[in-house]
Amino acid sequence: MISDDKPLGRPPMLQSKKSTHSFLSSTAGLNPASFLGTDATTAVTLASSDQAEIAIFEEGLGLAKTTLSRSSRSVSPQPSFMVLPPQLALDPLPFVELLHDFVNTSIAKTDDTYKGSKPFNILTETEEDIDESYLEEKVHISKKGEGFTAKLKQFFILSSAGKPIYSMNGDDDVLLGYSGLITTIVASFEDGTDLLFRSISQNGFRMVVMNKSPLILVAISRVSYELMLDLKLLESQLSSVYNYLLAVLSAPVITKSFHNRMNYDLRRVLSAQDLKTLDILTSMLTFGFSDTTDDENKSYTVDPSMFISSLLDDAVQCARLSSTLRAKLDDIFVSCKRLKVNLPQSEATPFLQGKLYTLETTKLLASDLLFAFLIYDNKIVSHLHPKTHCLENKDISTLLLMLSQLSPAGESKNVQEEPDLWFPICLARFNDSGFLHCYVRHLHLPNLSRPLTLLLLSGNKNSFFEMKQSANYIFAKICKSKTLSSSLPEELAQGYLPLTSVLKTPQVKHFIYKRRKANQYIMDPLTFSKDTFENIVDSMFILYLYTALSSSKSEEVRVGASMKKLTYTRWHLKEGFTGFLLADEKYELYCLCKGFVTSLVLIEQSLRIVNWCENYRKRLFIGPGVQF
Amino acid sequence: MPLPYKVVLLGDSSVGKTSLVHRFIADAFNPHLANTIGAAFISKDYTHNERTVKFEIWDTAGQERYKSLTPMYYRNALVALVCFDLGVPEASFERAKYWIEQLLTLGPADIKIRVVGNKMDLELEEAGLLLLIEEFCRERQLAVLKTSAKRGEGVGELFDSIVLEIPQAEFDSYSLEQAQEGQTDDALLLNLRNRRTGCC
């Protein structure tokens, strides 16, 4: 039943900066006064309506019926929803009814009155304005000692003896004191107790520790949206950082390094590139952008997907592709596994080359191949794995991170000039004490701005030439197939069209849809096309809204046999935003709408998204991938 | 198919191995090349003095942690280019020395070692150290070459000299072998098919 719950109060907020992302930007005049409310984020749930009583009883066919004690709230099913073909409608009508009631109740509770005109800072939920110098001071990674304490986010990797190995900010002088302090706190807490030190939280400050002796990983956050969630988010970030270390070093190497001397400096086996990758990782995981500045040009890559992935329990993103094409690619992978080649003559019977013996001198070309991926723009297009083993999403993310750090792809359009890459990688969840060997090659398809990347993971370090031949075969098959060579670039390029326009859901400005079972998600493509500073703020703003949405208290309702989770949230930021979360055991839908959208529209559009995504799930998600 | 000729590049990290290869393959220089992870393999048909060779180049990572994997790259190599940085010869030649010693004791018997001092554009004024390096190499009958991947100096010459040093007999026996080889070989067919599609 329903418990009384107060709306989540948040400080007054107004983003006074010029507007940003296309969907964030206001078309209406920016009169600050008109956009303000007291409770900037008012998360209101069914529970907050004290009179509403909802009784749901199941009927014969698993349909649920709602009765409301409040007679005034009889909301009829909306005709607009009825236009959906009947087979698309996932849920029985009473659910729509229930949704309307839920949203209406929520809206009724929202206090829209204006109380003050103050700027609102999404990073700290204070009134401080975010401008470029603010980002410079509080957000951008800086390896200088001064200004260290001003940073909103810190990551440390220390040895158990307190020696700094990596820090997001600051130099060694500044770090030594802090790392001593941290190791002392952790050691004295854990000493004599069987407890692991996990975290300290205090008024807008949280420190999370992951003790992976002989290493200690620490994240310290004062970023408002990271503090909305429980420890899981920061812990997931720490494990991403740890996984990267394992990917390049593996667990035994780390343990062995410290075995002889506890004050071993692990930095000796890390390259400058590794430290740079950690900077990119920590910044992406926290703020949704990273500094890719080189000697001459200041540049930043803005991409909130890494943060969103950890927000959604490490869900990975798939590339949209019609299931026929995906099936063709899968078939190529499987046929590659079955490919037989003659053994080189030196290995075969050297004296008898007659026909009789050739059968015995063949072997499976890709016998060492364990996992294969086709990747486009950090999204999985196709994936092959053995029947007995699967890669966890965390490992796939580490692999994608490694991939993005290799020599810039597409730098030379001449395929002849691109090398084949071959490197060891330790995928921690798969096996943290051994290395797989990864073969990487890019395929430049005509009319496609980015290359298609083929990853072949082999268990044998000497199998480079077999992997190279397999890659030759796979690429030749793709290029030879008329359907693939023409439709694949076309469909991959279509993946950048905003889904909200395809789906005709004009009020929903952006959405994320996750299928729980496969733990994969798709999101409406985001394009950041303004100047760098605004793109960064936009990206963080999206992180803020989605985190606030997923951390708002949700209401659980039983519809038929399934439990639905609902959250309706309004933010009095800028021109106002409405967030809506709808989830059950199969899926999670997160929607962001500009302005305050009526329940009729919101429900109709979000159900349309759900129906569409479920209907096209084979096109949107790869599921477990193809097996051999 | 031209005569395949395997070359491996060894040396400390950041001495410019990948830049050398990049200069040779694409005749270009990129100051922002990322550190090589593991190794990169690239092949290029190269003609000098009417001899065409298919260079198969292993560009290895200089990072210490990949040291144990390196033998598999030089195991089948015919030429090893052991590189060091003329800008910091003292620090970078240490590792070059290590590879030279290892190649001489554990490498294939017929491997030809060339010592390459890269970053000629940053070469130090005092020549004392370089004399020591040259003496070290002379004792082992190794040639020392200087290159600058940045300016494109000495790179072509380096590969030209490799082509020139291949005995004519190897070309002859290879083309004979090619003629004899049957066309039923799957792998060969595979390669042929790839070349015909012209995409990879």
Coordinates of all heavy atoms in Angstrom, one line a residue, chain A residues 248-249 269-271 273-274 294-296 340 342 405-406 411 415-424 437 441 461-462 464-465 468-469 472-473 475-476 479-480, chain B residues 6 22 25-26 30-35 37-43 58 63-66 68-69 72-73 75 181 184-187 190-191 193-194 197 199-200:
Chain A
V248 N 45.6 -3.7 -18.3 CA 46.9 -3.5 -18.9 C 48.0 -4.3 -18.1 O 49.0 -4.7 -18.6 CB 47.3 -2.0 -19.0 CG1 46.5 -1.3 -20.0 CG2 47.3 -1.3 -17.6
L249 N 47.7 -4.6 -16.8 CA 48.7 -5.2 -16.0 C 48.4 -6.7 -15.6 O 49.3 -7.5 -15.5 CB 49.0 -4.4 -14.7 CG 49.5 -3.0 -14.9 CD1 49.6 -2.3 -13.6 CD2 50.9 -3.0 -15.6
V269 N 55.6 0.6 -14.3 CA 55.1 -0.2 -15.4 C 53.9 0.4 -16.1 O 53.3 -0.2 -17.0 CB 54.7 -1.6 -14.8 CG1 55.9 -2.4 -14.6 CG2 53.8 -1.6 -13.6
L270 N 53.5 1.6 -15.7 CA 52.4 2.3 -16.4 C 53.0 3.3 -17.3 O 54.0 3.9 -17.0 CB 51.5 3.0 -15.4 CG 50.6 2.1 -14.5 CD1 49.9 2.9 -13.4 CD2 49.6 1.3 -15.3
S271 N 52.4 3.4 -18.5 CA 53.0 4.4 -19.4 C 52.2 5.7 -19.3 O 51.2 5.8 -18.6 CB 52.8 3.9 -20.9 OG 51.4 3.8 -21.2
Q273 N 50.7 7.0 -21.5 CA 49.4 6.8 -22.2 C 48.3 6.2 -21.2 O 47.2 6.6 -21.2 CB 49.6 5.8 -23.3 CG 48.4 5.5 -24.1 CD 48.3 6.5 -25.2 OE1 49.2 7.2 -25.6 NE2 47.1 6.7 -25.7
D274 N 48.8 5.3 -20.3 CA 47.9 4.8 -19.3 C 47.3 5.9 -18.4 O 46.1 5.9 -18.1 CB 48.6 3.7 -18.5 CG 49.0 2.5 -19.3 OD1 48.3 2.2 -20.2 OD2 50.0 1.9 -18.9
D294 N 45.8 18.7 -27.2 CA 47.2 18.4 -27.5 C 48.0 19.7 -27.4 O 47.5 20.7 -27.0 CB 47.4 17.6 -28.8 CG 46.8 18.4 -30.0 OD1 47.0 19.6 -30.0 OD2 46.3 17.8 -30.9
D295 N 49.3 19.6 -27.8 CA 50.2 20.8 -27.6 C 49.6 22.1 -28.2 O 49.8 23.1 -27.7 CB 51.5 20.5 -28.3 CG 52.1 19.1 -27.9 OD1 51.6 18.6 -26.9 OD2 53.0 18.7 -28.6
E296 N 48.9 21.9 -29.4 CA 48.5 23.2 -30.0 C 47.0 23.5 -29.8 O 46.7 24.7 -29.6 CB 48.7 23.0 -31.5 CG 50.2 23.0 -31.9 CD 50.5 21.7 -32.8 OE1 49.8 21.5 -33.7 OE2 51.5 21.1 -32.5
K340 N 38.2 -23.7 -42.7 CA 39.4 -24.6 -42.6 C 40.5 -24.2 -43.6 O 40.2 -23.7 -44.7 CB 38.9 -26.1 -43.0 CG 38.3 -26.7 -41.8 CD 38.0 -28.2 -42.1 CE 37.4 -28.8 -40.9 NZ 36.9 -30.2 -41.2
N342 N 44.5 -25.2 -45.2 CA 45.6 -26.2 -45.2 C 46.7 -25.8 -44.2 O 47.0 -24.6 -44.1 CB 46.2 -26.3 -46.6 CG 45.2 -27.0 -47.5 OD1 44.3 -27.7 -47.0 ND2 45.4 -26.9 -48.8
Q405 N 41.5 4.3 -27.2 CA 42.8 4.9 -26.9 C 43.9 4.5 -27.9 O 45.0 4.9 -27.8 CB 43.3 4.5 -25.5 CG 42.4 5.1 -24.4 CD 42.1 6.5 -24.6 OE1 43.0 7.3 -24.7 NE2 40.8 6.8 -24.7
L406 N 43.5 3.6 -28.8 CA 44.5 3.2 -29.7 C 44.8 4.3 -30.7 O 44.0 5.3 -30.7 CB 44.0 1.9 -30.5 CG 43.8 0.7 -29.6 CD1 43.2 -0.4 -30.4 CD2 45.1 0.2 -29.0
E411 N 42.5 8.1 -39.2 CA 43.5 9.1 -39.4 C 43.9 9.1 -40.9 O 44.1 10.1 -41.5 CB 44.6 8.9 -38.5 CG 45.8 9.9 -38.6 CD 47.0 9.2 -38.0 OE1 46.9 8.7 -36.9 OE2 48.1 9.3 -38.7
V415 N 43.5 2.4 -46.6 CA 43.5 1.2 -45.8 C 44.9 0.5 -45.8 O 45.3 0.0 -44.8 CB 42.5 0.2 -46.3 CG1 42.4 -1.1 -45.5 CG2 41.1 0.8 -46.4
Q416 N 45.6 0.6 -46.9 CA 46.9 0.1 -47.0 C 47.9 0.6 -45.9 O 48.8 0.0 -45.5 CB 47.5 0.4 -48.4 CG 47.0 -0.4 -49.5 CD 47.4 -1.8 -49.5 OE1 48.6 -2.1 -49.3 NE2 46.5 -2.8 -49.6
E417 N 47.6 1.8 -45.5 CA 48.5 2.5 -44.5 C 48.1 2.2 -43.1 O 48.7 2.8 -42.2 CB 48.5 4.0 -44.8 CG 49.2 4.2 -46.2 CD 49.1 5.7 -46.6 OE1 48.6 6.5 -45.8 OE2 49.5 6.0 -47.7
E418 N 47.0 1.5 -42.8 CA 46.7 1.3 -41.5 C 47.2 -0.1 -41.0 O 47.0 -1.1 -41.6 CB 45.1 1.3 -41.3 CG 44.7 2.6 -40.7 CD 43.2 2.6 -40.4 OE1 42.8 1.7 -39.8 OE2 42.6 3.6 -40.9
P419 N 47.8 0.0 -39.8 CA 48.4 -1.3 -39.3 C 47.3 -2.2 -38.7 O 46.2 -1.7 -38.3 CB 49.4 -0.8 -38.3 CG 48.9 0.5 -37.8 CD 48.2 1.1 -39.0
D420 N 47.6 -3.5 -38.6 CA 46.8 -4.4 -37.8 C 47.4 -4.3 -36.4 O 48.6 -4.4 -36.2 CB 47.0 -5.8 -38.3 CG 46.6 -6.0 -39.7 OD1 45.6 -5.4 -40.1 OD2 47.3 -6.7 -40.4
L421 N 46.5 -4.2 -35.4 CA 47.0 -4.1 -34.0 C 46.8 -5.4 -33.3 O 45.9 -6.2 -33.6 CB 46.2 -3.0 -33.3 CG 46.2 -1.6 -34.0 CD1 45.4 -0.7 -33.2 CD2 47.7 -1.1 -34.1
W422 N 47.7 -5.7 -32.4 CA 47.8 -7.0 -31.7 C 48.3 -6.7 -30.3 O 49.5 -6.3 -30.2 CB 48.7 -7.9 -32.5 CG 48.8 -9.3 -31.9 CD1 50.0 -9.9 -31.4 CD2 47.8 -10.3 -31.8 NE1 49.7 -11.2 -31.1 CE2 48.4 -11.5 -31.3 CE3 46.4 -10.3 -32.1 CZ2 47.7 -12.6 -31.0 CZ3 45.7 -11.5 -31.9 CH2 46.3 -12.6 -31.4
F423 N 47.4 -6.8 -29.3 CA 47.9 -6.4 -28.0 C 47.3 -7.4 -26.9 O 46.2 -7.9 -27.1 CB 47.6 -5.0 -27.7 CG 46.2 -4.6 -27.7 CD1 45.4 -4.7 -26.6 CD2 45.6 -4.1 -28.9 CE1 44.0 -4.4 -26.7 CE2 44.3 -3.7 -29.0 CZ 43.5 -3.9 -27.9
P424 N 48.0 -7.6 -25.8 CA 47.4 -8.4 -24.8 C 46.5 -7.5 -23.9 O 46.7 -6.3 -23.7 CB 48.7 -8.7 -23.9 CG 49.6 -7.6 -24.2 CD 49.3 -7.1 -25.5
H437 N 44.5 -12.1 -26.2 CA 45.2 -11.3 -27.2 C 44.2 -10.7 -28.2 O 43.4 -11.5 -28.7 CB 46.3 -12.1 -27.8 CG 47.4 -12.4 -26.8 ND1 48.5 -11.6 -26.7 CD2 47.5 -13.2 -25.8 CE1 49.3 -12.0 -25.7 NE2 48.6 -13.0 -25.1
R441 N 41.3 -4.3 -36.3 CA 41.5 -3.7 -37.6 C 40.2 -2.9 -38.0 O 39.1 -3.3 -37.6 CB 41.7 -4.8 -38.7 CG 41.9 -4.2 -40.0 CD 42.9 -5.1 -40.8 NE 42.3 -5.6 -42.0 CZ 42.6 -6.8 -42.5 NH1 43.4 -7.6 -41.9 NH2 42.0 -7.2 -43.6
K461 N 48.7 -16.3 -27.8 CA 49.4 -15.1 -28.2 C 50.1 -15.2 -29.6 O 50.6 -14.3 -30.2 CB 50.5 -14.7 -27.1 CG 51.6 -15.7 -27.0 CD 52.6 -15.2 -26.0 CE 53.7 -16.3 -25.9 NZ 54.8 -15.9 -25.0
N462 N 50.2 -16.5 -30.0 CA 50.9 -16.7 -31.3 C 49.9 -16.8 -32.5 O 50.3 -17.2 -33.6 CB 51.7 -18.0 -31.3 CG 52.9 -17.8 -30.3 OD1 53.5 -16.8 -30.3 ND2 53.1 -18.9 -29.5
F464 N 48.4 -14.4 -34.1 CA 48.1 -13.2 -34.9 C 47.8 -13.5 -36.4 O 46.8 -12.9 -36.9 CB 49.4 -12.3 -34.8 CG 49.3 -11.1 -35.7 CD1 48.5 -10.0 -35.4 CD2 49.9 -11.1 -37.0 CE1 48.4 -8.9 -36.2 CE2 49.8 -10.0 -37.8 CZ 49.0 -8.9 -37.4
F465 N 48.6 -14.3 -37.0 CA 48.3 -14.5 -38.5 C 47.0 -15.2 -38.8 O 46.4 -14.9 -39.8 CB 49.6 -15.1 -39.1 CG 50.7 -14.2 -39.2 CD1 51.8 -14.2 -38.3 CD2 50.7 -13.2 -40.2 CE1 52.8 -13.3 -38.3 CE2 51.8 -12.2 -40.2 CZ 52.8 -12.3 -39.3
K468 N 44.5 -12.5 -38.4 CA 44.6 -11.6 -39.6 C 43.9 -12.3 -40.8 O 43.1 -11.6 -41.5 CB 46.1 -11.4 -39.9 CG 46.3 -10.3 -41.0 CD 47.8 -10.0 -41.1 CE 48.1 -9.3 -42.5 NZ 47.5 -8.0 -42.6
Q469 N 44.1 -13.6 -41.0 CA 43.4 -14.2 -42.1 C 41.9 -14.3 -41.8 O 41.1 -14.1 -42.8 CB 43.9 -15.7 -42.2 CG 45.1 -15.7 -43.1 CD 45.5 -17.1 -43.5 OE1 45.0 -18.1 -42.9 NE2 46.4 -17.3 -44.4
N472 N 40.6 -11.0 -42.7 CA 40.6 -10.9 -44.2 C 39.3 -11.5 -44.7 O 38.6 -10.9 -45.5 CB 41.7 -11.6 -44.8 CG 43.0 -10.9 -44.7 OD1 43.0 -9.7 -44.3 ND2 44.1 -11.5 -45.0
Y473 N 39.0 -12.7 -44.1 CA 37.8 -13.4 -44.6 C 36.5 -12.6 -44.2 O 35.7 -12.4 -45.1 CB 37.8 -14.8 -43.9 CG 36.5 -15.5 -44.0 CD1 36.3 -16.3 -45.2 CD2 35.6 -15.5 -43.0 CE1 35.1 -17.0 -45.3 CE2 34.4 -16.2 -43.2 CZ 34.1 -16.9 -44.3 OH 33.0 -17.6 -44.5
F475 N 36.1 -9.4 -43.6 CA 36.0 -8.1 -44.3 C 35.6 -8.4 -45.8 O 34.8 -7.7 -46.4 CB 37.2 -7.3 -44.2 CG 37.3 -6.6 -42.9 CD1 38.5 -5.8 -42.6 CD2 36.3 -6.6 -42.0 CE1 38.5 -5.1 -41.4 CE2 36.4 -5.9 -40.8 CZ 37.5 -5.1 -40.5
A476 N 36.2 -9.5 -46.3 CA 35.9 -9.8 -47.7 C 34.5 -10.2 -47.9 O 33.8 -9.8 -48.8 CB 36.8 -11.0 -48.2
C479 N 32.3 -7.1 -47.7 CA 32.4 -6.3 -48.9 C 31.8 -7.0 -50.1 O 31.3 -6.4 -51.0 CB 33.9 -6.0 -49.2 SG 34.6 -4.9 -48.0
K480 N 31.8 -8.3 -50.1 CA 31.3 -9.1 -51.3 C 29.8 -9.1 -51.3 O 29.2 -9.2 -52.3 CB 31.9 -10.5 -51.2 CG 32.3 -11.0 -52.6 CD 32.9 -12.4 -52.5 CE 31.9 -13.4 -51.9 NZ 32.5 -14.7 -51.8
Chain B
K6 N 60.4 -10.0 -43.5 CA 59.9 -9.6 -42.2 C 60.9 -8.7 -41.4 O 62.1 -9.0 -41.4 CB 59.6 -10.8 -41.3 CG 58.4 -11.6 -41.8 CD 58.0 -12.7 -40.8 CE 56.7 -13.2 -41.1 NZ 56.4 -13.7 -42.5
H22 N 55.6 5.0 -39.8 CA 54.6 5.9 -40.4 C 55.2 6.7 -41.5 O 54.6 6.9 -42.6 CB 54.0 6.8 -39.3 CG 52.8 7.6 -39.7 ND1 51.7 6.9 -40.1 CD2 52.5 8.9 -39.8 CE1 50.7 7.8 -40.5 NE2 51.2 9.0 -40.3
I25 N 55.7 4.2 -44.4 CA 54.5 3.7 -45.1 C 53.8 4.9 -45.8 O 53.3 4.8 -46.9 CB 53.5 3.1 -44.0 CG1 54.2 1.9 -43.4 CG2 52.2 2.7 -44.6 CD1 54.4 0.7 -44.2
A26 N 53.6 6.0 -45.0 CA 52.7 7.0 -45.5 C 53.5 8.3 -45.9 O 52.9 9.3 -46.4 CB 51.6 7.3 -44.5
N30 N 53.3 12.5 -37.7 CA 52.2 12.9 -36.8 C 52.8 13.1 -35.4 O 53.2 12.1 -34.8 CB 51.1 11.9 -36.9 CG 50.0 12.3 -35.9 OD1 50.1 13.2 -35.1 ND2 48.9 11.5 -36.0
P31 N 53.0 14.3 -34.9 CA 53.6 14.4 -33.6 C 52.8 13.9 -32.5 O 53.2 13.7 -31.4 CB 53.7 16.0 -33.5 CG 52.7 16.5 -34.4 CD 52.5 15.6 -35.5
H32 N 51.5 13.5 -32.7 CA 50.6 13.1 -31.6 C 50.3 11.6 -31.7 O 49.2 11.2 -31.2 CB 49.3 13.9 -31.6 CG 49.6 15.4 -31.6 ND1 50.3 16.0 -30.5 CD2 49.4 16.4 -32.5 CE1 50.4 17.3 -30.8 NE2 49.8 17.5 -32.0
L33 N 51.1 10.8 -32.3 CA 50.9 9.4 -32.3 C 50.8 8.9 -30.9 O 51.6 9.2 -30.0 CB 52.0 8.7 -33.0 CG 51.9 8.7 -34.6 CD1 53.1 8.0 -35.1 CD2 50.7 8.1 -35.1
A34 N 49.8 8.0 -30.6 CA 49.6 7.4 -29.3 C 50.7 6.4 -29.1 O 51.2 5.8 -30.1 CB 48.2 6.8 -29.2
N35 N 51.0 6.1 -27.8 CA 51.9 5.0 -27.5 C 51.4 3.7 -28.2 O 50.2 3.5 -28.1 CB 52.0 4.7 -26.0 CG 52.9 5.8 -25.3 OD1 53.2 6.8 -25.9 ND2 53.3 5.4 -24.1
I37 N 50.3 0.1 -28.2 CA 50.0 -1.0 -27.2 C 50.2 -2.3 -27.8 O 49.7 -2.6 -28.9 CB 48.5 -0.8 -26.8 CG1 48.2 0.6 -26.3 CG2 48.1 -1.8 -25.7 CD1 46.8 0.9 -26.0
G38 N 51.0 -3.1 -27.2 CA 51.3 -4.4 -27.7 C 52.2 -4.3 -29.0 O 53.3 -3.9 -28.8
A39 N 51.6 -4.5 -30.1 CA 52.4 -4.4 -31.3 C 51.5 -4.1 -32.5 O 50.3 -4.3 -32.4 CB 53.2 -5.6 -31.6
A40 N 52.0 -3.5 -33.5 CA 51.2 -3.2 -34.7 C 52.0 -3.8 -35.9 O 53.2 -3.8 -36.0 CB 51.1 -1.7 -35.0
F41 N 51.2 -4.4 -36.8 CA 51.7 -5.1 -37.9 C 51.3 -4.4 -39.2 O 50.1 -4.0 -39.4 CB 51.2 -6.5 -38.0 CG 51.7 -7.3 -39.2 CD1 52.9 -8.0 -39.1 CD2 50.9 -7.4 -40.3 CE1 53.3 -8.8 -40.2 CE2 51.3 -8.2 -41.4 CZ 52.6 -8.8 -41.3
I42 N 52.2 -4.1 -40.1 CA 51.8 -3.4 -41.3 C 52.7 -4.0 -42.4 O 53.9 -4.3 -42.2 CB 51.9 -1.9 -41.2 CG1 51.2 -1.2 -42.3 CG2 53.4 -1.4 -41.0 CD1 50.8 0.2 -42.0
S43 N 52.1 -4.1 -43.6 CA 52.9 -4.6 -44.7 C 52.8 -3.6 -45.9 O 51.9 -2.8 -46.0 CB 52.5 -6.0 -45.2 OG 51.1 -5.9 -45.6
W58 N 56.8 -5.5 -38.0 CA 56.3 -5.5 -36.7 C 56.8 -4.3 -35.9 O 58.0 -4.2 -35.7 CB 56.7 -6.8 -35.9 CG 55.8 -8.0 -36.1 CD1 56.1 -9.2 -36.7 CD2 54.5 -8.1 -35.6 NE1 55.0 -10.0 -36.6 CE2 54.0 -9.4 -36.0 CE3 53.6 -7.2 -35.0 CZ2 52.7 -9.8 -35.7 CZ3 52.3 -7.7 -34.7 CH2 51.9 -9.0 -35.1
Q63 N 57.2 -0.1 -24.2 CA 56.9 -0.2 -22.8 C 57.5 -1.5 -22.2 O 57.4 -2.6 -22.7 CB 55.4 -0.2 -22.6 CG 54.8 1.1 -22.2 CD 55.3 1.4 -20.8 OE1 55.1 0.6 -19.9 NE2 55.9 2.6 -20.6
E64 N 58.1 -1.3 -21.0 CA 58.7 -2.4 -20.3 C 57.7 -3.7 -20.1 O 58.2 -4.8 -20.3 CB 59.0 -1.9 -18.9 CG 59.4 -3.0 -17.9 CD 60.8 -2.8 -17.3 OE1 61.3 -1.6 -17.5 OE2 61.3 -3.7 -16.7
R65 N 56.4 -3.4 -19.9 CA 55.6 -4.5 -19.6 C 55.3 -5.4 -20.7 O 54.8 -6.5 -20.5 CB 54.3 -4.0 -19.0 CG 53.4 -3.2 -19.9 CD 52.0 -3.0 -19.3 NE 51.2 -2.3 -20.2 CZ 50.8 -1.0 -20.1 NH1 51.3 -0.3 -19.1 NH2 50.0 -0.4 -21.0
Y66 N 55.6 -5.0 -22.0 CA 55.4 -5.9 -23.1 C 56.7 -6.7 -23.5 O 56.7 -7.4 -24.4 CB 55.0 -5.1 -24.3 CG 53.7 -4.4 -24.1 CD1 53.6 -3.0 -24.1 CD2 52.5 -5.1 -23.9 CE1 52.5 -2.3 -23.8 CE2 51.3 -4.4 -23.7 CZ 51.3 -3.0 -23.6 OH 50.1 -2.4 -23.4
S68 N 58.1 -9.2 -22.3 CA 58.1 -10.7 -22.4 C 57.5 -11.2 -23.7 O 57.6 -12.4 -24.0 CB 57.4 -11.3 -21.2 OG 56.1 -10.8 -21.2
L69 N 56.7 -10.3 -24.3 CA 56.0 -10.8 -25.5 C 56.9 -10.6 -26.8 O 56.6 -11.2 -27.8 CB 54.7 -10.0 -25.7 CG 53.6 -10.3 -24.7 CD1 52.5 -9.3 -24.9 CD2 53.1 -11.7 -25.0
M72 N 58.2 -13.2 -29.6 CA 57.4 -13.8 -30.7 C 57.4 -12.9 -31.9 O 57.1 -13.3 -33.0 CB 56.0 -14.0 -30.2 CG 55.1 -12.9 -30.1 SD 53.5 -13.4 -29.5 CE 52.6 -11.9 -29.4
Y73 N 57.8 -11.6 -31.8 CA 57.8 -10.7 -33.0 C 59.1 -10.9 -33.7 O 59.2 -10.7 -34.9 CB 57.5 -9.3 -32.6 CG 56.3 -9.1 -31.8 CD1 56.2 -8.6 -30.5 CD2 55.0 -9.4 -32.4 CE1 55.1 -8.5 -29.8 CE2 53.9 -9.3 -31.8 CZ 53.9 -8.8 -30.5 OH 52.7 -8.7 -29.8
R75 N 61.0 -13.6 -33.6 CA 61.3 -15.0 -33.9 C 61.5 -15.3 -35.4 O 62.4 -16.0 -35.8 CB 60.2 -15.9 -33.3 CG 60.7 -17.3 -33.1 CD 59.5 -18.1 -32.6 NE 59.1 -17.6 -31.2 CZ 57.8 -17.6 -30.9 NH1 56.9 -18.0 -31.7 NH2 57.5 -17.2 -29.7
E181 N 53.8 -23.6 -56.5 CA 52.7 -23.8 -55.6 C 51.3 -24.0 -56.2 O 51.0 -23.3 -57.2 CB 52.7 -22.6 -54.6 CG 52.0 -22.9 -53.3 CD 52.5 -21.9 -52.3 OE1 51.7 -20.9 -52.2 OE2 53.5 -22.1 -51.6
T184 N 45.3 -24.6 -55.0 CA 44.2 -25.1 -54.2 C 44.3 -24.6 -52.7 O 43.4 -24.8 -52.0 CB 44.2 -26.6 -54.2 OG1 45.5 -27.1 -53.9 CG2 43.7 -27.2 -55.5
D185 N 45.4 -24.0 -52.5 CA 45.6 -23.5 -51.1 C 44.5 -22.5 -50.7 O 44.3 -21.5 -51.2 CB 46.9 -22.9 -50.9 CG 47.3 -22.6 -49.5 OD1 46.6 -21.9 -48.9 OD2 48.3 -23.2 -49.1
D186 N 43.7 -22.9 -49.6 CA 42.6 -22.1 -49.2 C 43.0 -20.7 -48.8 O 42.4 -19.7 -49.2 CB 41.9 -22.7 -48.0 CG 41.1 -23.9 -48.4 OD1 41.1 -24.2 -49.6 OD2 40.4 -24.4 -47.5
A187 N 44.1 -20.6 -48.0 CA 44.6 -19.4 -47.5 C 44.9 -18.4 -48.7 O 44.6 -17.2 -48.7 CB 45.8 -19.6 -46.6
L190 N 41.9 -17.2 -50.4 CA 41.3 -16.2 -49.5 C 41.9 -14.9 -49.8 O 41.3 -13.9 -50.0 CB 41.6 -16.6 -48.1 CG 40.5 -16.3 -47.1 CD1 39.4 -17.2 -47.2 CD2 41.1 -16.4 -45.7
N191 N 43.3 -14.9 -49.8 CA 44.0 -13.6 -50.0 C 43.7 -13.1 -51.4 O 43.5 -11.9 -51.6 CB 45.5 -13.9 -49.9 CG 45.9 -14.1 -48.5 OD1 45.2 -13.6 -47.6 ND2 46.9 -14.8 -48.2
R193 N 41.0 -13.5 -53.2 CA 39.7 -13.0 -53.2 C 39.7 -11.6 -52.5 O 39.0 -10.6 -53.0 CB 38.7 -13.9 -52.4 CG 37.3 -13.8 -52.8 CD 36.4 -14.6 -51.9 NE 36.8 -16.0 -51.9 CZ 36.7 -16.7 -50.8 NH1 36.3 -16.2 -49.7 NH2 37.0 -18.0 -50.8
N194 N 40.4 -11.4 -51.5 CA 40.4 -10.1 -50.8 C 41.0 -9.1 -51.7 O 40.5 -8.0 -51.8 CB 41.3 -10.2 -49.6 CG 40.7 -11.1 -48.5 OD1 39.5 -11.3 -48.7 ND2 41.4 -11.5 -47.6
T197 N 38.5 -7.9 -54.3 CA 37.5 -7.0 -53.9 C 38.1 -5.6 -53.6 O 37.3 -4.6 -53.5 CB 36.8 -7.5 -52.6 OG1 37.8 -7.7 -51.6 CG2 36.0 -8.8 -52.9
C199 N 39.1 -4.2 -51.0 CA 38.7 -3.4 -49.9 C 39.7 -3.6 -48.7 O 39.8 -2.7 -47.8 CB 37.3 -3.6 -49.5 SG 37.2 -5.0 -48.4
C200 N 40.3 -4.7 -48.6 CA 41.1 -4.8 -47.4 C 42.5 -5.4 -47.9 O 43.1 -6.1 -47.4 CB 40.5 -5.7 -46.3 SG 38.9 -6.2 -46.7

